[in-house]
Amino acid sequence: MNIGKAKLQRNLFIAAFIIPTFLFFCVFTIYPLIQALYNSFFDWSGMSQHKDYVGLQNFKDIFDDPIMLTAIGNDYFLVIGKIIGIMAIATFFAVALTRLRLKGTAFFRSIFFIPNVLSAVVVGILWNFIYNPQIGFLNGFLSLFTSSKVEINWLGFESHTIWMLLPPAVWAGIGFYMILLIAAITSIPASLYEAADIEGAGQWHQFRHITLPLIWEQMKISVINIMMTTLNGSFVIVTIMTAGGPDNSTQVMGSYLYQQAFKQAHFGYGAAIGTVILITSLITTLLLQWLLRKEQVEVS
Amino acid sequence: MLQRTVHPVFKSIFYAFLVLWGISVIYPLFWTFTDSLKNNQQFYFNMPWSLPKFPLLWSNFEYVWTNYNFGKYFINSIAVTAGATVLGLVLAAMTAYTLARYKFFGSKVLYTVYISSMMVPFALALIPLFFLVNDLGLANNRFGLILVYASNTLAFGIFVLIGFFRTLPKELEEAGAIDGAGYFGTFFRIMLPLSRSGIISVGIINVLEIWNEYIVGTILVIDPTKYTLPIGLAAMQVEMQYKTEWGPLFAGLLFTIVPVLVVYIMAQRHIVSGLVAGAVK
């Protein structure tokens, strides 16, 4: 009898602590995600009476839509550019701030993280000012070397404007990944480096054969994280800096979803774009995991 | 030992890169401040890096605070950030503790659901969320934002806090049981205070996330009096196409940046430890 009562008490406690959170999470996170997948099979302008089942038509339209193909291309351009840029610079700084016995490392570490606490909106506006054709830093700086005032419209090229969004994205991402890599490096046993020192291995050799293999797991996590946050979140920097323009050439999937759904009331099509973001994100995760696993075998 | 030291030339190259990157981070903050004290003329006839002329236009701050409603945005941001952080923390801590300490029917599945939700791009949820919040009558409403933001913080909070609760020794609960504290008493009077540092870490990271959030906010809030700071800033920047007011824009940027900088400076250690714990999956 007593055991039964104790068990009941335990179960009541678990229920009281688990169920409110889970119900809340179901309503505001899980339900929207599932509903989005469902909506992507409908032609839907936002009114419930005009919601027609169209099967896979939205997805067929996506692959016939030149803007969507540009958007996917831009997304992957940013993914690859950010992975290369952020990982190279963040690893460089992480090693410099841990292994090289430099002074002022704590100071640099705290400074470098600052862009990560800024809103992407703030980052976008700051870089808009750098690129501003009339009063921006970049043209002002270039004008120092020319006789006439430089007035390049950095965010208005007919093509390749997406390149201009890479520096802000990399700049804003370095600090976080540097911190992760620093944590990984400092957890490597010092004895490994001491042994390497005794054998006369130089800094580069130590990096290549001790640091890199032992932080590889963390680098893999970082690469996948960069990919996911880029596919999910480039929307903000694009919206703030170019609004997808000029002529939809800098559209990414997220910003195009926003435009289709909330500006043009193509909610079914927008939902299908969301589904494509999910699918590309999952496929790329698997792909990266496979690619980076192979690499790891070669390193060690 | 000779091998231990790095060649001085290399050392200076490394320092040069570190200093350059440091400048690239600090200088934008500096110019945001100096340019917030300029009038339009100075933007068009002087260089962007030139210092503001006297008299300094401190009035830009007042101007953006009242004429551009940044006063309202600021209060909205504070209300939404505080509400969502507290709600998200309470809900996450309860589940994290239970999952860390008790095995029950479906506990593994529940954990997997929370963790794998972090892998799903949230852009997917935007459209249904818009209709859900509208149907609940919570569009254009700070409370609606609080609910959505709180829900978005749950998975990360649960993940990190489970780690913290697991590090606490089991004997504490046994001691609590002997003292007759009961399940709830043990949680609120023993476990919660002991996991303080983890809860602070998660809380501060959530504060930064929510304060800076733009996508969800711009979809759920159309009424300008309910904007949070990032939405207000973005809207002001769009308006700049018709009337240029660079000084006030930078003043508005400062209203958004300074609070997070203060939080960062005060709580740097907590932020870093929380993020590191959250990223090591």
Side-chain angles (χ1 to χ4, degrees):
Chain A
M1 196 61 219
N2 216 351
I3 294 169
K5 200 181 156 213
K7 203 164 188 186
L8 181 71
Q9 262 184 345
R10 176 182 181 272
N11 288 343
L12 273 178
F13 168 75
I14 290 174
F17 266 39
I18 287 291
I19 291 172
T21 310
F22 191 60
L23 281 181
F24 185 72
F25 189 68
C26 282
V27 172
F28 288 102
T29 302
I30 294 184
Y31 163 77
L33 290 172
I34 293 169
Q35 181 72 15
L37 296 176
Y38 175 74
N39 283 343
S40 58
F41 298 105
F42 289 85
D43 181 16
W44 179 37
S45 64
M47 249 62 96
S48 51
Q49 56 266 43
H50 301 297
K51 196 168 176 178
D52 304 319
Y53 179 76
V54 290
L56 292 171
Q57 190 57 43
N58 284 328
F59 295 98
K60 283 186 192 138
D61 290 346
I62 277 177
F63 291 101
D64 290 332
D65 181 350
I67 299 176
M68 187 61 195
L69 298 181
T70 310
I72 296 176
N74 284 338
D75 263 312
Y76 278 94
F77 170 80
L78 289 176
V79 165
I80 294 168
K82 277 173 78 175
I83 288 177
I84 295 172
I86 291 178
M87 291 314 290
I89 300 174
T91 310
F92 177 84
F93 286 142
V95 172
L97 293 176
T98 48
R99 298 299 316 152
L100 299 184
R101 289 160 228 264
L102 303 177
K103 287 194 190 86
T105 52
F107 172 76
F108 285 117
R109 219 181 284 191
S110 349
I111 296 294
F112 287 5
F113 191 74
I114 289 178
N116 292 81
V117 302
L118 302 180
S119 172
V121 174
V122 171
V123 173
I125 293 177
L126 289 176
W127 282 79
N128 271 346
F129 187 62
I130 293 178
Y131 290 146
N132 188 289
Q134 284 95 41
I135 60 173
F137 273 91
L138 198 48
N139 282 345
F141 179 72
L142 293 175
S143 297
L144 295 177
F145 308 100
T146 55
S147 49
S148 61
K149 200 165 175 257
V150 178
E151 291 204 331
I152 301 171
N153 187 0
W154 293 100
L155 294 172
F157 300 123
E158 275 168 35
S159 61
H160 299 96
T161 305
I162 193 72
W163 283 83
M164 305 311 297
L165 302 190
L166 198 51
V170 170
W171 179 77
I174 296 295
F176 174 61
Y177 296 100
M178 181 194 78
I179 295 283
L180 293 188
L181 294 175
I182 285 177
I185 293 174
T186 46
S187 70
I188 297 173
S191 57
L192 290 177
Y193 290 108
E194 282 158 17
D197 272 336
I198 290 165
E199 286 175 22
Q203 281 293 341
W204 171 252
H205 202 77
Q206 294 189 10
F207 171 73
R208 188 73 182 67
H209 295 282
I210 301 174
T211 312
L212 198 57
L214 289 174
I215 63 170
W216 191 257
E217 199 52 34
Q218 190 58 57
M219 290 179 92
K220 198 166 98 182
I221 292 167
S222 303
V223 165
I224 290 170
N225 203 11
I226 293 172
M227 184 275 298
M228 288 202 304
T229 51
T230 305
L231 290 185
N232 193 28
S234 311
F235 168 43
V236 183
I237 205 119
V238 168
T239 305
I240 300 298
M241 295 188 68
T242 66
D247 197 22
N248 285 318
S249 66
T250 56
Q251 213 68 265
V252 290
M253 287 189 277
S255 63
Y256 195 48
L257 180 157
Y258 177 75
Q259 189 190 311
Q260 283 292 329
F262 296 100
K263 299 278 181 205
Q264 299 175 5
H266 297 153
F267 286 100
Y269 194 64
I273 297 174
T275 307
V276 173
I277 299 179
L278 173 70
I279 294 169
T280 48
S281 174
L282 292 179
I283 292 175
T284 318
T285 304
L286 293 176
L287 189 74
L288 283 173
Q289 245 154 7
W290 180 76
L291 276 176
L292 298 172
R293 172 162 302 140
K294 261 185 86 178
E295 192 70 17
Q296 187 181 22
V297 177
E298 279 170 28
V299 168
S300 60
Chain B
M1 262 190 262
L2 249 174
Q3 295 90 343
R4 273 175 169 251
T5 51
V6 184
H7 196 280
V9 174
F10 280 116
K11 236 178 189 174
S12 7
I13 293 173
F14 276 101
Y15 270 122
F17 278 117
L18 289 170
V19 169
L20 272 179
W21 194 267
I23 291 172
S24 89
V25 170
I26 296 288
Y27 184 60
L29 301 178
F30 177 73
W31 104 59
T32 304
F33 175 63
T34 55
D35 284 10
S36 70
L37 301 169
K38 291 180 180 177
N39 59 19
N40 269 341
Q41 257 195 325
Q42 296 179 55
F43 279 101
Y44 284 101
F45 296 106
N46 300 339
M47 284 305 183
W49 54 81
S50 49
L51 293 174
K53 293 215 163 29
F54 288 99
L56 300 175
L57 278 180
W58 294 103
S59 58
N60 280 340
F61 287 91
E62 210 184 309
Y63 180 80
V64 81
W65 185 263
T66 49
N67 290 35
Y68 273 98
N69 281 327
F70 270 66
K72 281 214 180 80
Y73 305 160
F74 197 86
I75 291 166
N76 291 341
S77 272
I78 288 190
V80 168
T81 306
T85 303
V86 171
L87 180 62
L89 263 185
V90 171
L91 291 174
M94 294 192 327
T95 287
Y97 172 67
T98 320
L99 285 177
R101 279 300 203 248
Y102 298 94
K103 274 208 177 93
F104 54 91
F105 178 73
S107 58
K108 276 219 175 95
V109 177
L110 199 62
Y111 178 77
T112 313
V113 167
Y114 282 120
I115 301 313
S116 48
S117 79
M118 288 198 278
M119 304 280 291
V120 178
F122 195 70
L124 181 62
L126 291 178
I127 295 171
L129 204 55
F130 171 75
F131 287 100
L132 172 71
V133 171
N134 266 297
D135 290 344
L136 294 174
L138 293 171
N140 282 323
N141 187 316
R142 279 167 295 212
F143 188 58
L145 273 185
I146 288 175
L147 295 179
V148 175
Y149 285 156
S151 184
N152 285 354
T153 64
L154 285 178
F156 170 78
I158 289 170
F159 179 70
V160 174
L161 289 178
I162 283 180
F164 270 92
F165 283 123
R166 282 203 178 130
T167 60
L168 299 179
K170 272 224 152 93
E171 290 77 36
L172 288 169
E173 274 133 319
E174 285 155 20
I178 292 165
D179 292 348
Y183 288 105
F184 293 93
T186 310
F187 174 72
F188 285 108
R189 273 182 288 155
I190 301 173
M191 302 312 277
L192 214 47
L194 282 173
S195 56
R196 200 171 44 228
S197 74
I199 287 175
I200 293 174
S201 286
V202 173
I204 291 171
I205 291 165
N206 289 349
V207 163
L208 297 177
E209 289 278 307
I210 296 166
W211 183 270
N212 290 332
E213 206 286 334
Y214 171 73
I215 304 180
V216 174
T218 195
I219 280 163
L220 298 184
V221 181
I222 297 146
D223 175 3
T225 61
K226 302 284 163 50
Y227 282 175
T228 57
L229 284 164
I231 314 172
L233 267 179
M236 183 176 176
Q237 206 212 205
V238 172
E239 261 185 61
M240 297 271 293
Q241 293 169 349
Y242 316 107
K243 67 175 176 187
T244 42
E245 299 194 283
W246 286 101
L249 179 68
F250 282 111
L253 277 176
L254 277 182
F255 282 126
T256 315
I257 296 173
V258 169
V260 284
L261 274 189
V262 171
V263 169
Y264 173 63
I265 291 166
M266 291 192 325
Q268 196 191 340
R269 235 165 1 111
H270 284 293
I271 295 170
V272 170
S273 70
L275 285 176
V276 171
V280 187
K281 281 170 199 154

